[in-house]
Amino acid sequence: GVVVLSAPQGTQWKNAGASVKITFKNFKITRNSDKRSVTINGEQTYTNVSGGLLLKLASLESITHTVTSNGLSVTFDNGSKRSWQVAQQRVFTYNNGIVITVLGMHTEGNNTQIAVWGTNRFGAAFATSITEPLIIRQDCNFRLTGGAVKHTVGAATATATFGLDVTGNPVSCPAGNYYYKLVWTGPNGNTVTAILAY
């Protein structure tokens, strides 16, 4: 496939409100483990909301970017086509290196902080919310050091909490693996919990 980056003539990314469009044309991604694939078509818009360049982040308080899409067309390897939407905010700050805080910006009913939503491979509506900001730190080798994500499909949810040790407690930049706590809640309220390395 092809990925095309474009911007209006005269756009300077350093200026507040500058935006760049990324267009996906039959962009196919294949998972190595089982060779299943998705093919993406559509557009995303990256906007430098605050202005400023990451090169000068240490001298700025913060820089805010958004990533949005009103409809990415996703084709699965069984031929089914679905539509996904994106609404993310990324705030860059400086603390012993770059710190990236990722948030969801969309709301549907009582479900807030949604970052991605649409229809899955099986035709069911889903929403993925960032319930606690996702934190990525340069001084921890750009690893995901904290935050939580809730994935909802119908009456079932799966929540992953990041930045933990093997016992499920928050930890600060371990030498080895981080762990995340995954809690799956079924339509009848039954739950399954696991702690896994990443």
Side-chain angles (χ1 to χ4, degrees), residues 17 31 36 43 64 74-75 91 107 127 146 151 159 164 169 171 182:
R31 188 166 53 195
R36 298 183 87 169
E43 298 175 350
T64 300
V74 180
T75 303
V91 179
T107 298
H151 184 72
T159 301
L164 308 177
N169 293 310
V171 65
L182 180 63

PDB file of all heavy atoms in Angstrom, residues 17 31 36 43 64 74-75 91 107 127 146 151 159 164 169 171 182:
ATOM      1  N   GLY A  17      -1.948  25.411  15.324  1.00  0.00           N
ATOM      2  CA  GLY A  17      -3.028  25.094  14.392  1.00  0.00           C
ATOM      3  C   GLY A  17      -2.575  24.467  13.089  1.00  0.00           C
ATOM      4  O   GLY A  17      -3.418  24.062  12.274  1.00  0.00           O
ATOM      5  N   ARG A  31      -0.197  -9.604  10.558  1.00  0.00           N
ATOM      6  CA  ARG A  31       0.363 -10.073  11.828  1.00  0.00           C
ATOM      7  C   ARG A  31       1.162 -11.338  11.584  1.00  0.00           C
ATOM      8  O   ARG A  31       0.658 -12.302  11.011  1.00  0.00           O
ATOM      9  CB  ARG A  31      -0.790 -10.334  12.818  1.00  0.00           C
ATOM     10  CG  ARG A  31      -0.336 -10.649  14.221  1.00  0.00           C
ATOM     11  CD  ARG A  31      -1.477 -10.557  15.202  1.00  0.00           C
ATOM     12  NE  ARG A  31      -2.623 -11.358  14.796  1.00  0.00           N
ATOM     13  CZ  ARG A  31      -3.839 -11.231  15.320  1.00  0.00           C
ATOM     14  NH1 ARG A  31      -4.073 -10.330  16.245  1.00  0.00           N
ATOM     15  NH2 ARG A  31      -4.827 -12.006  14.920  1.00  0.00           N
ATOM     16  N   ARG A  36      -2.887 -13.072   9.768  1.00  0.00           N
ATOM     17  CA  ARG A  36      -4.125 -12.331   9.549  1.00  0.00           C
ATOM     18  C   ARG A  36      -3.768 -10.885   9.248  1.00  0.00           C
ATOM     19  O   ARG A  36      -2.767 -10.355   9.738  1.00  0.00           O
ATOM     20  CB  ARG A  36      -5.035 -12.437  10.768  1.00  0.00           C
ATOM     21  CG  ARG A  36      -5.454 -13.867  11.052  1.00  0.00           C
ATOM     22  CD  ARG A  36      -6.413 -13.948  12.202  1.00  0.00           C
ATOM     23  NE  ARG A  36      -7.776 -13.777  11.730  1.00  0.00           N
ATOM     24  CZ  ARG A  36      -8.847 -14.011  12.480  1.00  0.00           C
ATOM     25  NH1 ARG A  36      -8.714 -14.406  13.726  1.00  0.00           N
ATOM     26  NH2 ARG A  36     -10.057 -13.842  11.997  1.00  0.00           N
ATOM     27  N   GLU A  43      -8.167   8.743   5.853  1.00  0.00           N
ATOM     28  CA  GLU A  43      -7.293   9.840   6.239  1.00  0.00           C
ATOM     29  C   GLU A  43      -7.269  10.039   7.750  1.00  0.00           C
ATOM     30  O   GLU A  43      -8.265   9.811   8.429  1.00  0.00           O
ATOM     31  CB  GLU A  43      -7.768  11.143   5.593  1.00  0.00           C
ATOM     32  CG  GLU A  43      -7.755  11.139   4.078  1.00  0.00           C
ATOM     33  CD  GLU A  43      -8.357  12.408   3.488  1.00  0.00           C
ATOM     34  OE1 GLU A  43      -8.949  13.206   4.260  1.00  0.00           O
ATOM     35  OE2 GLU A  43      -8.235  12.610   2.276  1.00  0.00           O
ATOM     36  N   THR A  64       1.148  20.434  22.436  1.00  0.00           N
ATOM     37  CA  THR A  64      -0.022  19.563  22.303  1.00  0.00           C
ATOM     38  C   THR A  64      -0.323  19.284  20.842  1.00  0.00           C
ATOM     39  O   THR A  64      -0.427  20.218  20.038  1.00  0.00           O
ATOM     40  CB  THR A  64      -1.260  20.205  22.965  1.00  0.00           C
ATOM     41  OG1 THR A  64      -0.995  20.409  24.356  1.00  0.00           O
ATOM     42  CG2 THR A  64      -2.489  19.319  22.804  1.00  0.00           C
ATOM     43  N   VAL A  74     -11.561  -0.013   7.160  1.00  0.00           N
ATOM     44  CA  VAL A  74     -10.710  -1.149   7.488  1.00  0.00           C
ATOM     45  C   VAL A  74     -11.311  -2.396   6.848  1.00  0.00           C
ATOM     46  O   VAL A  74     -12.470  -2.738   7.094  1.00  0.00           O
ATOM     47  CB  VAL A  74     -10.602  -1.334   9.014  1.00  0.00           C
ATOM     48  CG1 VAL A  74      -9.722  -2.522   9.351  1.00  0.00           C
ATOM     49  CG2 VAL A  74     -10.072  -0.071   9.664  1.00  0.00           C
ATOM     50  N   THR A  75     -10.519  -3.076   6.008  1.00  0.00           N
ATOM     51  CA  THR A  75     -10.954  -4.326   5.367  1.00  0.00           C
ATOM     52  C   THR A  75     -10.181  -5.474   5.972  1.00  0.00           C
ATOM     53  O   THR A  75      -8.944  -5.474   5.977  1.00  0.00           O
ATOM     54  CB  THR A  75     -10.718  -4.277   3.851  1.00  0.00           C
ATOM     55  OG1 THR A  75     -11.400  -3.143   3.303  1.00  0.00           O
ATOM     56  CG2 THR A  75     -11.245  -5.545   3.184  1.00  0.00           C
ATOM     57  N   VAL A  91       0.189  15.135  24.620  1.00  0.00           N
ATOM     58  CA  VAL A  91       0.820  16.291  25.241  1.00  0.00           C
ATOM     59  C   VAL A  91       2.274  15.927  25.536  1.00  0.00           C
ATOM     60  O   VAL A  91       2.549  14.945  26.227  1.00  0.00           O
ATOM     61  CB  VAL A  91       0.093  16.708  26.534  1.00  0.00           C
ATOM     62  CG1 VAL A  91       0.787  17.911  27.162  1.00  0.00           C
ATOM     63  CG2 VAL A  91      -1.374  17.030  26.236  1.00  0.00           C
ATOM     64  N   THR A 107     -16.601  11.423  23.294  1.00  0.00           N
ATOM     65  CA  THR A 107     -17.594  10.950  24.261  1.00  0.00           C
ATOM     66  C   THR A 107     -18.818  10.419  23.520  1.00  0.00           C
ATOM     67  O   THR A 107     -19.283  11.042  22.561  1.00  0.00           O
ATOM     68  CB  THR A 107     -18.030  12.096  25.202  1.00  0.00           C
ATOM     69  OG1 THR A 107     -16.892  12.540  25.946  1.00  0.00           O
ATOM     70  CG2 THR A 107     -19.110  11.645  26.163  1.00  0.00           C
ATOM     71  N   ALA A 127     -15.564   0.519  21.485  1.00  0.00           N
ATOM     72  CA  ALA A 127     -14.951   1.799  21.839  1.00  0.00           C
ATOM     73  C   ALA A 127     -13.773   1.513  22.745  1.00  0.00           C
ATOM     74  O   ALA A 127     -13.864   0.692  23.659  1.00  0.00           O
ATOM     75  CB  ALA A 127     -15.945   2.715  22.542  1.00  0.00           C
ATOM     76  N   GLY A 146       2.787   3.984  32.518  1.00  0.00           N
ATOM     77  CA  GLY A 146       1.565   4.047  33.307  1.00  0.00           C
ATOM     78  C   GLY A 146       0.364   4.375  32.450  1.00  0.00           C
ATOM     79  O   GLY A 146       0.480   4.732  31.283  1.00  0.00           O
ATOM     80  N   HIS A 151     -11.510  -1.289  26.856  1.00  0.00           N
ATOM     81  CA  HIS A 151     -12.057  -1.676  25.551  1.00  0.00           C
ATOM     82  C   HIS A 151     -13.445  -2.255  25.787  1.00  0.00           C
ATOM     83  O   HIS A 151     -13.607  -3.220  26.537  1.00  0.00           O
ATOM     84  CB  HIS A 151     -11.138  -2.706  24.888  1.00  0.00           C
ATOM     85  CG  HIS A 151     -11.550  -3.092  23.510  1.00  0.00           C
ATOM     86  ND1 HIS A 151     -11.423  -2.240  22.435  1.00  0.00           N
ATOM     87  CD2 HIS A 151     -12.106  -4.227  23.030  1.00  0.00           C
ATOM     88  CE1 HIS A 151     -11.859  -2.850  21.344  1.00  0.00           C
ATOM     89  NE2 HIS A 151     -12.282  -4.046  21.686  1.00  0.00           N
ATOM     90  N   THR A 159     -10.233  -4.176  30.651  1.00  0.00           N
ATOM     91  CA  THR A 159      -9.469  -3.026  31.120  1.00  0.00           C
ATOM     92  C   THR A 159      -8.030  -3.446  31.379  1.00  0.00           C
ATOM     93  O   THR A 159      -7.785  -4.445  32.060  1.00  0.00           O
ATOM     94  CB  THR A 159     -10.078  -2.447  32.415  1.00  0.00           C
ATOM     95  OG1 THR A 159     -11.435  -2.068  32.152  1.00  0.00           O
ATOM     96  CG2 THR A 159      -9.298  -1.231  32.885  1.00  0.00           C
ATOM     97  N   LEU A 164       3.026  -1.621  36.020  1.00  0.00           N
ATOM     98  CA  LEU A 164       2.970  -2.374  37.269  1.00  0.00           C
ATOM     99  C   LEU A 164       4.148  -3.338  37.387  1.00  0.00           C
ATOM    100  O   LEU A 164       4.815  -3.653  36.407  1.00  0.00           O
ATOM    101  CB  LEU A 164       1.659  -3.165  37.331  1.00  0.00           C
ATOM    102  CG  LEU A 164       0.370  -2.377  37.077  1.00  0.00           C
ATOM    103  CD1 LEU A 164      -0.826  -3.307  37.096  1.00  0.00           C
ATOM    104  CD2 LEU A 164       0.218  -1.244  38.093  1.00  0.00           C
ATOM    105  N   ASN A 169       1.449  -3.960  41.518  1.00  0.00           N
ATOM    106  CA  ASN A 169       1.631  -2.639  42.130  1.00  0.00           C
ATOM    107  C   ASN A 169       2.400  -1.719  41.186  1.00  0.00           C
ATOM    108  O   ASN A 169       3.276  -2.181  40.448  1.00  0.00           O
ATOM    109  CB  ASN A 169       2.394  -2.767  43.453  1.00  0.00           C
ATOM    110  CG  ASN A 169       1.583  -3.492  44.504  1.00  0.00           C
ATOM    111  OD1 ASN A 169       0.432  -3.158  44.750  1.00  0.00           O
ATOM    112  ND2 ASN A 169       2.184  -4.506  45.119  1.00  0.00           N
ATOM    113  N   VAL A 171       5.100   0.624  39.578  1.00  0.00           N
ATOM    114  CA  VAL A 171       6.556   0.578  39.707  1.00  0.00           C
ATOM    115  C   VAL A 171       7.151   1.637  38.794  1.00  0.00           C
ATOM    116  O   VAL A 171       6.575   1.981  37.760  1.00  0.00           O
ATOM    117  CB  VAL A 171       7.093  -0.837  39.372  1.00  0.00           C
ATOM    118  CG1 VAL A 171       6.838  -1.193  37.917  1.00  0.00           C
ATOM    119  CG2 VAL A 171       8.567  -0.956  39.704  1.00  0.00           C
ATOM    120  N   LEU A 182      -4.850  -7.093  33.440  1.00  0.00           N
ATOM    121  CA  LEU A 182      -5.969  -7.190  32.514  1.00  0.00           C
ATOM    122  C   LEU A 182      -7.170  -7.741  33.255  1.00  0.00           C
ATOM    123  O   LEU A 182      -7.094  -8.817  33.863  1.00  0.00           O
ATOM    124  CB  LEU A 182      -5.602  -8.099  31.341  1.00  0.00           C
ATOM    125  CG  LEU A 182      -6.666  -8.309  30.269  1.00  0.00           C
ATOM    126  CD1 LEU A 182      -6.989  -6.991  29.577  1.00  0.00           C
ATOM    127  CD2 LEU A 182      -6.195  -9.346  29.253  1.00  0.00           C
TER     128      LEU A 182
END
